[in-house]
Amino acid sequence: MLKTLAKSIREFKRDSILTPILVSMEVVLECTIPFITAKLVNLIKAGCEMTDILKYGGLLIVMAILSLLFGMFAGMTCANAACGFGRNLRHDMFYSIQDFSFENIDRFTTSSLVTRLTTDVSNVQNAYMMIIRTAIRAPLMLIFAFTMAFVLGGKMAFIFLFTVPVLGTGLFLVSRKVMPIFKKVFKKYDALNSSIQENIKGIRVVKSFVREDYESKKFDGAAGDVCRDFTRGERILAFNGPIMQFCLYSVMVFVLTFGSYTVITSKGLDLDVGQMSALLTYSFMMLSSLMMLSMILVMITISVESGNRISEVINEKSSLTSPENAVTEIKDGSIEFDHVTFRYSSKAERAALSDINLSIASGETIGILGGTGSSKSTLIQLIPRLYDATEGCVRVGGRDVREYDLDALRTAVAVVLQKNILFSGTVKDNLRWGNKEATDEEMEEACRLSHADEFIDVMPGKYDYYIEQGGANLSGGQKQRLCIARALIAKPKILILDDSTSAVDMKTDAAIRQAMREYIPATTKIIIAQRTASVGDADRLISRDGGRIIATGTHDELMKTSDVYREIYISQNKAGTENE
């Protein structure tokens, strides 16, 4: 885990190295100042000259200013290193996620990935900030202060050696108890974020069914669960305070009691007033260092699990990768399913697709019909390798899709998904997802073919109209037509429409299909639909049920040979009406 995280330091190595050096210089000066002060006190007591006072006073001022400057610059370099490290972690995680296949994303879940990119990175960033500054300062302060205390106080300094094991044992027991709690609580954090994400995405449904109270109670339950675990962990960590206070006051009582006794009985020969005051200062330094170490331990305890979760994402390898010497040129849009079986996971009891055999010629228009859960979308997701077949193979342009470079394959296969996703930005920005080099004329033509121009032309700014995140300021039909236009701009070898005209009226639906036949005649078109009218003019229709192909043929052929297709057609066209 540490090796993985360390790779994200990169250009901030200089600041990460410079911070401990500056902190070390600051500590040396801070630990030297009480020693010089003790000498000055003893000189004043002995009746020194004013020049001696000015000399030592000036030296103390210079050392104090230098200590301040070293501390200030250490703070600046520490902030640069920690914030830069956090930025790089988010960058590395995000880029890793971009390479994930659907299988990888399903394994982590969206809400968990969001938590890892935000809360977990913040925890690790804060821990790193403490490690390169406070975790260097505290041990050095402890060592230097003890050394100086031993020089000044002799055997009396050994009291600190008795307090360290007590404190160390207490902190070890606390951290051992609290680590499993924080490991458990981050999983509940994921569940909490999942609940929030689900609620916000479905807010219209929540309000339409007046389920705000139910959702609030569900959220309160999840939030309360997280709160209880965090409270339990923090209560255990709170024992650090009493342990530290016990060690602090034990040392203070010992130094004040035996130090005063030594000063009085030896009349300043074994321990003088200046040495006594310096010894008290070093006592505070050492115990404050121990307190800092306690805080560091708490922060690291919390961040260790966050670090593991971040490393999981960065080290996760996509289940789909381009092979060596990958083929980058797709000959045509022909498709072949050769005894294809697919399961979403090795543990799945039932195959989503079973022994699929299907050949589609380049330029052919194929309509796919089937009931809900018949794995229509799963079938087409194997073509651009959004998933890989469990058994058998899928060929595009005469070659196994696993032989192609992923980018080249997916560029040649445009998919308009069932859930239409638009991104925040202008209409042009969204259209250029299909082809970033598309001209204004190409975009206008694609929108005309998809009938998106009908609403774009009446919008303020037209093609510069700003679309909110997810296309929130567009209707379902408008989003579908824009997504179709985006796919048309790509001029792919294979175009897949996954129930992409369900929110469009029948007349517009027919016009879009006619435009596609004329605009991209050589492109293989696969149309998944719920209504028979959307695929009635296809070259071939495929009827699916239970993960299998149960019938293939034209509309007229299936009306004669397929009871399932005939039943669907009659039910949708009863009394001359069509329903979705």
Side-chain angles (χ1 to χ4, degrees):
M1 180 263 284
L2 292 176
K3 286 182 179 179
T4 300
L5 298 182
K7 292 176 183 177
S8 296
I9 299 172
R10 291 197 292 277
E11 69 267 33
F12 298 99
K13 282 181 181 177
R14 186 183 70 87
D15 287 331
S16 298
I17 294 170
L18 197 57
T19 299
I21 294 173
L22 292 170
V23 168
S24 300
M25 299 302 295
E26 180 190 15
V27 169
V28 169
L29 288 168
E30 282 190 25
C31 289
T32 307
I33 286 172
F35 184 80
I36 301 298
T37 304
K39 290 192 69 173
L40 179 59
V41 170
N42 290 336
L43 284 172
I44 293 171
K45 182 184 175 185
C48 65
E49 298 293 329
M50 191 64 186
T51 53
D52 293 326
I53 296 174
L54 292 174
K55 182 177 71 173
Y56 279 99
L59 179 61
L60 287 171
I61 290 171
V62 171
M63 292 176 70
I65 292 172
L66 287 174
S67 176
L68 178 66
L69 290 173
F70 282 129
M72 182 180 70
F73 286 120
M76 292 169 60
T77 55
C78 179
N80 286 338
C83 293
F85 175 56
R87 187 200 71 181
N88 285 349
L89 278 178
R90 291 188 178 92
H91 172 278
D92 294 345
M93 288 178 70
F94 188 79
Y95 271 61
S96 180
I97 292 168
Q98 295 306 299
D99 287 334
F100 282 2
S101 66
F102 284 6
E103 182 182 341
N104 296 117
I105 293 172
D106 291 343
R107 191 172 76 81
F108 280 102
T109 75
T110 305
S111 58
S112 176
L113 291 172
V114 171
T115 305
R116 294 169 198 241
L117 277 162
T118 51
T119 304
D120 288 329
V121 171
S122 294
N123 288 339
V124 171
Q125 178 180 320
N126 291 333
Y128 186 67
M129 183 181 292
M130 297 189 77
I131 287 169
I132 62 173
R133 189 178 185 187
T134 312
I136 299 297
R137 177 186 173 84
L140 284 177
M141 180 74 78
L142 197 62
I143 293 167
F144 279 114
F146 177 78
T147 302
M148 300 302 287
F150 186 79
V151 170
L152 291 173
K155 294 179 181 179
M156 194 179 297
F158 282 103
I159 180 63
F160 301 112
L161 295 182
F162 291 102
T163 59
V164 171
V166 174
L167 181 63
T169 302
L171 295 180
F172 172 75
L173 293 174
V174 166
S175 64
R176 185 178 179 183
K177 186 74 175 175
V178 83
M179 278 289 284
I181 296 174
F182 284 116
K183 189 171 184 177
K184 180 180 175 183
V185 79
F186 280 110
K187 293 181 180 178
K188 293 185 178 181
Y189 241 134
D190 292 343
L192 177 64
N193 283 343
S194 179
S195 175
I196 295 169
Q197 181 189 26
E198 182 181 52
N199 181 270
I200 293 173
K201 287 180 71 176
I203 193 67
R204 289 176 174 81
V205 178
V206 172
K207 290 187 176 297
S208 64
F209 283 91
V210 197
R211 298 285 282 179
E212 291 92 341
D213 289 342
Y214 170 79
E215 288 294 317
S216 296
K217 289 177 182 176
K218 188 170 75 171
F219 174 80
D220 287 342
D225 207 11
V226 171
C227 179
R228 280 189 293 274
D229 277 0
F230 259 119
T231 302
R232 185 181 166 206
E234 294 292 347
R235 280 176 179 169
I236 296 172
L237 287 173
F239 281 104
N240 286 340
I243 295 171
M244 285 300 308
Q245 293 297 326
F246 172 77
C247 294
L248 173 65
Y249 290 124
S250 296
V251 170
M252 292 302 300
V253 168
F254 179 85
V255 170
L256 285 170
T257 303
F258 289 95
S260 300
Y261 176 81
T262 305
V263 170
I264 294 169
T265 55
S266 68
K267 295 181 180 180
L269 296 176
D270 294 336
L271 189 70
D272 211 338
V273 176
Q275 292 169 300
M276 173 73 175
S277 64
L279 197 61
L280 285 171
T281 303
Y282 287 129
S283 299
F284 278 114
M285 282 184 176
M286 279 185 277
L287 291 167
S288 66
S289 298
L290 290 172
M291 184 70 82
M292 287 180 194
L293 287 172
S294 173
M295 293 170 58
I296 293 166
L297 181 67
V298 171
M299 192 67 241
I300 290 176
T301 300
I302 294 173
S303 64
V304 162
E305 181 59 24
S306 291
N308 286 325
R309 285 158 55 86
I310 291 170
S311 297
E312 283 179 358
V313 175
I314 294 176
N315 291 330
E316 178 78 4
K317 300 300 180 186
S318 176
S319 57
L320 301 177
T321 55
S322 299
E324 291 186 19
N325 303 316
V327 179
T328 57
E329 185 178 348
I330 289 83
K331 184 177 68 173
D332 55 41
S334 61
I335 304 166
E336 183 183 356
F337 289 82
D338 185 2
H339 295 285
V340 170
T341 296
F342 174 75
R343 288 181 174 83
Y344 279 104
S345 74
S346 57
K347 299 178 181 178
E349 296 180 1
R350 187 178 67 88
L353 300 172
S354 300
D355 197 29
I356 301 297
N357 287 288
L358 176 66
S359 292
I360 301 172
S362 183
E364 196 173 7
T365 299
I366 300 294
I368 301 178
L369 288 164
T372 302
S374 60
S375 301
K376 301 184 298 295
S377 297
T378 304
L379 180 72
I380 59 96
Q381 286 173 355
L382 299 180
I383 298 171
R385 278 197 79 194
L386 299 178
Y387 290 102
D388 265 344
T390 307
E391 297 175 21
C393 75
V394 180
R395 298 187 184 91
V396 169
R399 304 191 73 136
D400 191 327
V401 291
R402 287 168 287 201
E403 297 176 14
Y404 287 114
D405 175 77
L406 272 174
D407 289 345
L409 175 64
R410 290 173 182 172
T411 300
V413 182
V415 183
V416 183
L417 295 170
Q418 195 169 6
K419 293 181 180 179
N420 298 282
I421 302 296
L422 293 173
F423 298 88
S424 52
T426 64
V427 172
K428 286 182 179 179
D429 293 336
N430 275 275
L431 290 173
R432 285 199 172 111
W433 275 70
N435 178 6
K436 60 184 178 182
E437 305 297 334
T439 64
D440 290 349
E441 291 75 17
E442 288 174 325
M443 287 188 282
E444 289 171 10
E445 183 180 19
C447 289
R448 179 181 58 78
L449 294 167
S450 68
H451 286 250
D453 62 329
E454 295 175 359
F455 63 87
I456 293 174
D457 288 340
V458 297
M459 285 178 170
K462 297 185 178 180
Y463 286 85
D464 291 317
Y465 178 75
Y466 190 83
I467 298 174
E468 302 292 341
Q469 185 179 23
N473 52 343
L474 297 177
S475 69
Q478 289 172 337
K479 286 192 284 187
Q480 284 188 340
R481 283 180 277 177
L482 268 182
C483 288
I484 293 170
R486 183 173 63 189
L488 290 173
I489 284 175
K491 295 181 180 177
K493 286 185 167 60
I494 299 170
L495 175 64
I496 299 170
L497 303 178
D498 187 357
D499 204 15
S500 305
T501 57
S502 57
V504 174
D505 63 84
M506 298 298 299
K507 181 180 177 182
T508 304
D509 185 8
I512 291 172
R513 295 198 310 275
Q514 178 62 32
M516 286 193 296
R517 281 194 296 271
E518 296 173 357
Y519 182 63
I520 45 174
T523 296
T524 303
K525 295 167 279 292
I526 300 176
I527 304 170
I528 296 175
Q530 296 289 338
R531 56 195 185 194
T532 56
S534 295
V535 292
D537 56 354
D539 297 323
R540 272 191 298 158
L541 299 176
I542 296 170
S543 181
R544 294 183 47 75
D545 186 41
R548 294 179 179 274
I549 295 174
I550 58 173
T552 303
T554 63
H555 167 72
D556 292 336
E557 289 171 347
L558 292 186
M559 285 294 288
K560 295 175 182 178
T561 59
S562 174
D563 294 336
V564 173
Y565 178 80
R566 186 167 54 253
E567 187 177 318
I568 294 171
Y569 180 80
I570 292 172
S571 66
Q572 290 185 359
N573 292 274
K574 190 181 294 182
T577 61
E578 274 191 79
N579 304 302
E580 285 188 22

